[in-house]
Structures are given as structure tokens and as C-alpha cells.
């Protein structure tokens, strides 16, 4: 998913899958210790989860492979 997001190919589905994977990773590794990311050391993976969710809703942009395919 990271490679697809980086080049901008199938960005929305790949970012949605990556967001889900980050959410599961947070709850498996950190979420059972404390519900707050700053208290359990999971602030980075929580940030990635919401960042990927933002990318999934926003899209790839004009300089991506998806953006170039839309113009053509």
C-alpha cells in the first residue's frame, strides 16, 4: 500500500487499507495498555492511521498517476 500511495496509483483504496492496518496495529500493540496514544507510546501509529484516512478521503492530487490518467 505504501508504494501505491507514494506513486499515486489507486491511492484512495490503498490509503484506506493502510489506515485500517494502522488502526489494527495500534490496538494490537498499544491500545490495550491505555486508550490514550500519548500514555501508551502509540502516537506515531495513531498519526499514520489518521494521515492515511485523510489521504483516502482527499485523493492523490494532480501530480499522481491517478491524476495523469484522469486527464488522458
Amino acid at each position: 500500500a505504501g508504494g501505491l500511495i507514494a506513486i499515486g496509483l489507486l491511492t484512495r483504496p490503498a490509503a484506506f487499507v493502510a489506515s485500517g492496518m494502522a488502526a489494527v496495529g495500534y490496538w494490537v500493540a498499544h491500545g490495550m495498555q491505555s486508550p490514550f496514544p500519548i500514555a501508551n507510546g502509540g502516537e506515531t501509529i495513531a498519526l499514520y492511521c489518521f494521515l492515511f484516512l485523510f489521504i483516502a478521503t482527499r485523493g492523490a492530487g494532480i501530480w499522481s498517476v491517478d491524476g495523469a490518467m484522469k486527464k488522458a
Side-chain angles (χ1 to χ4, degrees):
L4 291 175
I5 295 168
I7 64 171
L9 180 64
L10 299 173
T11 304
R12 288 180 188 241
F16 186 73
V17 168
S19 175
M21 288 174 30
V24 168
Y26 172 78
W27 285 109
V28 167
H30 301 284
M32 297 303 162
Q33 298 169 2
S34 173
F36 302 110
I38 199 73
N40 62 21
E43 61 269 359
T44 306
I45 193 131
L47 175 70
Y48 281 129
C49 177
F50 289 111
L51 181 67
F52 286 138
L53 193 59
F54 173 75
I55 293 171
T57 58
R58 179 76 175 156
I62 59 171
W63 291 339
S64 64
V65 175
D66 288 340
M69 289 172 35
K70 249 185 211 179
K71 287 183 182 179

